[in-house]
Amino acid sequence: MKTTITVRRRNGGYVKGAAAVAGLALFALTACSPSSSDEDTQAGDSFTTREVTDGKTEFVVVTNPGDGPVLSYGKDSGVELLTEEIDGKEYAFKDMNGNGELDVWEDWRESSEDRAADLAQHLSKEQIAGLMLFSSHERSPADGLTDAQKEYMSESRLRNVLNAGPNDVEANVTWSNQLQEYAEELATDDEPYVPVNFSSDPRSTAESGGNYNASGDISRWPSNLGLAATFDTETMTTFAQAVSAEYRALGIGTALSPQIDLATEPRWLRVDGTFGENVELASAMATAYVDGFQTTPGEDGWGDESVNAMIKHWAGDGPGEGGRESHTEAGKYGVYPGDNFDAHAEVFLGAMDSAAVMTAYSIALGPDGEPLGGGDRMGSAYDSYRTGLLRENFTGVVVTDWGVTAGGTTDPEALIGTSWGADDLTVEERHYAILKNGVDMFGGNNAVEPVLAAYDMWQADFEAGENDVDAQTRFEESGTRILNMLFQPGLYENAYLDLDESKEIVASEDKLDAGYQAQLDSVVMLKNDADTIAAAEAGDWADKTVYIPRNYDTGQAGLFGPGEYTEGPGLTVEIAEEYFAKVVTDEAVEDADGKVTSYTAPDLSDVDLVLVGMDSPSSGAVFANSGHDETTGEWYPLSLQYRPYTADGENVRKVSISGDLLADGTQENRSYFGNTSRTSNESDLDAFERAVAAVEASGKDIPVITVLKAKNPTVPAEFEAKSDAILVGFGVSDQALIETAIGLNEPQGRLPIGFPASMDAVEKQLEDVQEDTEPYVDAAGNSYLFGFGLNYAGPIEG
């Protein structure tokens, strides 16, 4: 049967309509509970409403009975409720277009795919073009809704916003609610409502703090490499479920993660973001990460704690020649001298349930220096071979990495311009080329005009017989995929955040504890001579003295300015003081600029233990164009050792695989043969050697424990022999490392990537081949290869 209802429209008028769903009725915004005339409705059998404010935005929250979803909408939005009786219970639905009917896209019982397909047909081409935009970084939620945000939301119809700000709950909640309210205000009869989909890069790694949760802002976990070091998918699932709940409480519906590039090149500047070099481990961790983010405990799949996962960077950005990074011109080429592309793709193909995939920056070249698979000498988003392979296997959203439509002569001032291989195209032509490849979204783009220009190019080529479908059909295809990312986590039902609830979720005690336990579980022990590290109680160290040497790092100059000079003890003294009676460190002599010119070790007569905190050797940075001196034109090696490394061995390529094609038809040679590395933290090894010398000078047998905070594998030859024990932490806190060093936590982590015997071994391995680097072998005969790690009893089996 059909029920005639009266609907209040957004403009305040009224219209008669017919609801095609049996039993539908409407509740006005002013109602705070179901009608009192329903006397035989039992308590809990009908939805309830309440008004909520975060101090800046007022909205209505509707709680449906049973497993019906929570709904929310702005108090003054004009949204009305439609109701239906289902199995004796009264449920509410939002009438988001004010037509008095429950459309497919408004019905939360329908699948997200069907809802997205229905709504895409009603969006204007301008709205779909806006959906194709993924904003540049928004770094200050505390500023609230800005004029610039209003402009790109209203003029460009942008709805996918990258939140790159801090974790302050109140700032994020109020900002999120303001943008959601503004999105509702922009809805019209011609352009239906589209909520804001906030996204975020990873924000939960512990290394930023000395203790396990230095700021108390969010739960803290190991880096991806550290999670992989646990070799435990249950730990990964626990991480994913905890962090996704925190993301949703901050308003974040899409994670720009996990990074699942296979780390086959140990020098690569983003190894710490991966799950290591082993295909099976990386695949298992990727699957657990995606499943954990995209489900909600207690729900069958998606729920109010679910977050879209975006695996990146298709199909593996790990094999940069010489380890150089594709964010910059120096590293724009990935090379496959071992013809091993399939292994990199395998990790991704095992995680095709992810909501989205981000393409790689790099141009992929085979052993002969020619594009892989006969594809294009262009970045992944432009490369017909790699992106075509992705589209054969993936039906979700494909997103470019940030800035791939900027660069070259068209955008000489672009902070990040990465249009590798497409520099000769106009910005509009780049957008069109990417859409032709089946890509849906443009990362880091706020302007809609180039997308609309690409629409016109598509339509012109369709009319000329060059495209199989018209532009509107192609846009609706992407629109459907993108809208599905909004429907899956329930943003159309409940986009608003209750501040009190968010404060209870983010950094809750259970999440903090679980994150810290994961940190402890991830620590790898590589060496433990004479049981230097053994089970102990905290009180065993309460009357002891520890020496922690100081060091400095001159930093790496890059896109964001000169290198940042940092100096201090290798481990956080304040944390060590919680376990030891006394902490001593070096005295320093500084120059007029506050830079250390020399250190003097203390008298170790009363010292019981030496903890030497060291970072991985730093010979480059992601945004530093590392590997190429643009002033001199010199190419130089990235290194995994602290002392200067001159690349003159027999395994160093004298002619690079990659290089730009020059005007005379030859290829640029990017070889660094004969040149020397530029490591900024050589002082870390100085600190180690100073500590060893001080121990020898004391005449005492003081244990020296090397505590390596690793982002990449390291050549241990420079410090292993003089270390009594070696611990490795991947993105964990100093607290977790110190507790493990003094025996409060038995190590159980294992290496997710092998540590090389030498830089010659690194030169000999192939950038695209996993587990092919000769491992370091220590005095005890242990090989530091993939999967190695010690506990108190010896090598961990498995």
Side-chain angles (χ1 to χ4, degrees):
M1 76 180 179
K2 294 184 178 180
T3 304
T4 301
I5 59 178
T6 302
V7 184
R8 181 178 293 277
R9 302 298 296 274
R10 287 186 178 83
N11 61 12
Y14 288 84
V15 64
K16 295 279 188 174
V21 182
L24 280 175
L26 178 141
F27 277 79
L29 280 171
T30 55
C32 291
S33 61
S35 171
S36 58
S37 61
D38 292 333
E39 295 179 357
D40 38 14
T41 298
Q42 299 298 312
D45 287 345
S46 184
F47 68 90
T48 60
T49 67
R50 60 188 175 93
E51 293 184 4
V52 179
T53 181
D54 61 17
K56 296 183 178 179
T57 303
E58 295 181 327
F59 54 98
V60 177
V61 173
V62 182
T63 303
N64 272 306
D67 58 359
V70 172
L71 315 179
S72 63
Y73 51 90
K75 180 181 177 182
D76 299 320
S77 66
V79 169
E80 298 284 355
L81 295 181
L82 301 171
T83 68
E84 182 175 1
E85 186 174 306
I86 307 170
D87 296 331
K89 296 182 179 180
E90 198 164 24
Y91 291 84
F93 302 78
K94 292 196 293 184
D95 183 15
M96 289 175 274
N97 60 4
N99 68 353
E101 298 184 12
L102 186 62
D103 300 303
V104 171
W105 66 274
E106 296 172 324
D107 190 342
W108 43 257
R109 295 167 299 181
E110 300 286 348
S111 70
S112 62
E113 294 86 356
D114 288 346
R115 297 176 71 186
D118 180 57
L119 180 56
Q121 300 175 50
H122 300 289
L123 299 187
S124 66
K125 72 176 183 181
E126 289 81 8
Q127 280 188 290
I128 296 178
L131 277 174
M132 291 177 172
L133 302 175
F134 234 124
S135 85
S136 55
H137 296 65
E138 293 287 0
R139 302 187 185 277
S140 185
D143 291 343
L145 176 61
T146 66
D147 290 339
Q149 292 157 11
K150 287 181 179 180
E151 181 177 356
Y152 67 54
M153 288 180 65
S154 61
E155 299 300 320
S156 290
R157 279 78 167 179
L158 187 151
R159 291 296 185 274
N160 294 283
V161 176
L162 173 52
N163 181 350
N167 298 314
D168 179 84
V169 176
E170 184 165 353
N172 279 279
V173 166
T174 54
W175 179 53
S176 174
N177 286 340
Q178 285 178 309
L179 265 67
Q180 299 295 2
E181 182 180 47
Y182 188 62
E184 283 183 336
E185 293 175 9
L186 293 174
T188 68
D189 289 342
D190 296 324
E191 294 195 347
Y193 164 64
V194 180
V196 177
N197 175 27
F198 290 94
S199 66
S200 176
D201 282 309
R203 54 176 62 220
S204 304
T205 303
E207 64 186 352
S208 57
N211 66 13
Y212 78 96
N213 187 39
S215 61
D217 60 346
I218 199 168
S219 64
R220 296 291 178 178
W221 303 73
S223 67
N224 273 5
L225 205 57
L227 289 166
T230 68
F231 279 66
D232 183 21
T233 55
E234 290 185 8
T235 295
M236 178 63 78
T237 298
T238 301
F239 157 81
Q241 291 179 340
V243 171
S244 62
E246 290 181 312
Y247 275 25
R248 287 300 298 272
L250 294 172
I252 297 164
T254 296
L256 305 183
S257 57
Q259 182 191 336
I260 63 173
D261 310 275
L262 198 60
T264 52
E265 167 49 63
R267 292 166 291 186
W268 184 40
L269 295 169
R270 298 190 71 181
V271 165
D272 64 318
T274 76
F275 297 134
E277 66 176 326
N278 178 271
V279 174
E280 288 75 20
L281 177 63
S283 297
M285 289 294 180
T287 298
Y289 192 118
V290 170
D291 289 349
F293 264 75
Q294 294 187 169
T295 56
T296 292
E299 301 284 347
D300 183 16
W302 293 88
D304 58 9
E305 294 183 359
S306 302
V307 171
N308 296 298
M310 184 182 297
I311 55 176
K312 61 185 186 183
H313 311 85
W314 171 265
D317 220 7
E321 188 164 21
R324 298 187 291 262
E325 164 52 28
S326 61
H327 271 84
T328 61
E329 203 279 345
K332 67 183 178 183
Y333 292 101
V335 295
Y336 294 81
D339 202 20
N340 196 38
F341 173 78
D342 288 350
H344 293 259
E346 183 179 341
V347 182
F348 286 82
L349 294 175
M352 291 286 98
D353 287 338
S354 63
V357 175
M358 185 186 293
T359 60
Y361 283 130
S362 57
I363 300 169
L365 303 179
D368 56 0
E370 295 298 320
L372 281 182
D376 306 293
R377 197 181 182 88
M378 307 174 84
S380 179
Y382 297 96
D383 181 4
S384 58
Y385 171 68
R386 284 177 290 167
T387 308
L389 178 62
L390 174 59
R391 269 295 169 224
E392 290 176 8
N393 293 276
F394 183 63
T395 59
V397 176
V398 179
V399 185
T400 73
D401 208 334
W402 265 233
V404 304
T405 60
T409 58
T410 61
D411 302 279
E413 303 302 320
L415 182 63
I416 300 178
T418 53
S419 56
W420 310 139
D423 289 349
D424 59 337
L425 302 180
T426 67
V427 173
E428 293 78 11
E429 288 169 339
R430 292 172 193 161
H431 284 75
Y432 181 40
I434 288 170
L435 288 176
K436 290 272 285 183
N437 258 355
V439 177
D440 302 298
M441 299 183 71
F442 304 95
N445 293 16
N446 289 6
V448 77
E449 290 80 9
V451 185
L452 293 173
Y455 181 102
D456 293 337
M457 292 178 188
W458 187 292
Q459 186 62 23
D461 282 352
F462 169 73
E463 293 172 1
E466 296 182 20
N467 288 332
D468 293 336
V469 298
D470 63 273
Q472 187 63 28
T473 300
R474 172 64 185 86
F475 267 45
E476 287 182 9
E477 182 181 66
S478 284
T480 298
R481 294 177 187 138
I482 299 165
L483 285 169
N484 193 41
M485 285 210 306
L486 279 65
F487 281 112
Q488 283 177 157
L491 296 182
Y492 267 91
E493 273 61 66
N494 187 21
Y496 286 88
L497 301 172
D498 185 313
L499 179 57
D500 291 337
E501 292 178 359
S502 291
K503 287 180 176 179
E504 291 179 0
I505 293 169
V506 178
S508 60
E509 186 174 356
D510 61 325
K511 297 182 184 68
L512 296 179
D513 291 346
Y516 187 58
Q517 186 60 52
Q519 292 181 48
L520 294 172
D521 292 346
S522 73
V523 176
V524 180
M525 184 161 64
L526 295 180
K527 183 177 182 180
N528 192 27
D529 274 2
D531 296 329
T532 296
I533 300 175
E537 300 293 333
D540 296 341
W541 296 96
D543 60 348
K544 301 293 191 295
T545 298
V546 64
Y547 166 42
I548 300 176
R550 288 167 64 176
N551 54 47
Y552 63 85
D553 189 329
T554 58
Q556 299 282 341
L559 296 178
F560 303 109
E564 180 184 0
Y565 178 88
T566 56
E567 191 280 331
L571 293 165
T572 308
V573 168
E574 291 77 10
I575 299 300
E577 288 174 338
E578 296 179 11
Y579 302 94
F580 295 93
K582 187 176 182 181
V583 179
V584 297
T585 188
D586 304 305
E587 291 185 1
V589 176
E590 299 179 349
D591 62 18
D593 296 324
K595 306 293 178 62
V596 172
T597 58
S598 66
Y599 290 112
T600 302
D603 179 1
L604 302 192
S605 299
D606 297 322
V607 167
D608 302 288
L609 180 68
V610 177
L611 295 178
V612 184
M614 303 167 68
D615 292 326
S616 295
S618 177
S619 62
V622 171
F623 296 102
N625 210 46
S626 299
H628 188 216
D629 188 320
E630 295 179 273
T631 301
T632 66
E634 176 184 296
W635 293 89
Y636 59 88
L638 305 182
S639 177
L640 300 181
Q641 66 181 43
Y642 294 96
R643 296 301 182 216
Y645 161 66
T646 299
D648 55 5
E650 63 179 1
N651 292 314
V652 180
R653 289 191 192 113
K654 294 183 174 65
V655 178
S656 62
I657 294 173
S658 68
D660 292 343
L661 299 180
L662 305 178
D664 63 2
T666 63
Q667 179 176 292
E668 170 195 29
N669 185 9
R670 296 187 165 204
S671 170
Y672 47 75
F673 181 82
N675 296 330
T676 302
S677 61
R678 304 182 181 188
T679 301
S680 62
N681 66 329
E682 185 179 350
S683 171
D684 286 26
L685 187 59
D686 293 339
F688 173 80
E689 293 180 348
R690 186 168 60 254
V692 170
V695 169
E696 292 174 350
S698 74
K700 297 177 58 181
D701 185 17
I702 307 172
V704 176
I705 300 177
T706 299
V707 180
L708 180 64
K709 293 181 272 191
K711 291 182 178 294
N712 288 78
T714 300
V715 176
E718 293 178 303
F719 55 83
E720 181 271 323
K722 298 277 182 81
S723 300
D724 294 295
I726 300 173
L727 294 176
V728 181
F730 299 101
V732 303
S733 63
D734 286 1
Q735 182 174 350
L737 292 167
I738 290 172
E739 288 198 354
T740 303
I742 62 176
L744 307 187
N745 165 63
E746 182 172 10
Q748 62 184 55
R750 293 186 282 157
L751 290 178
I753 184 170
F755 277 34
S758 63
M759 281 305 299
D760 185 63
V762 173
E763 298 288 5
K764 188 175 182 179
Q765 60 88 39
L766 301 178
E767 283 93 338
D768 63 321
V769 178
Q770 66 275 20
E771 300 178 68
D772 68 333
T773 306
E774 178 190 352
Y776 181 81
V777 180
D778 67 14
N782 291 317
S783 295
Y784 295 177
L785 42 65
F786 167 81
F788 175 72
L790 300 171
N791 57 24
Y792 296 151
I796 299 171
E797 300 296 329

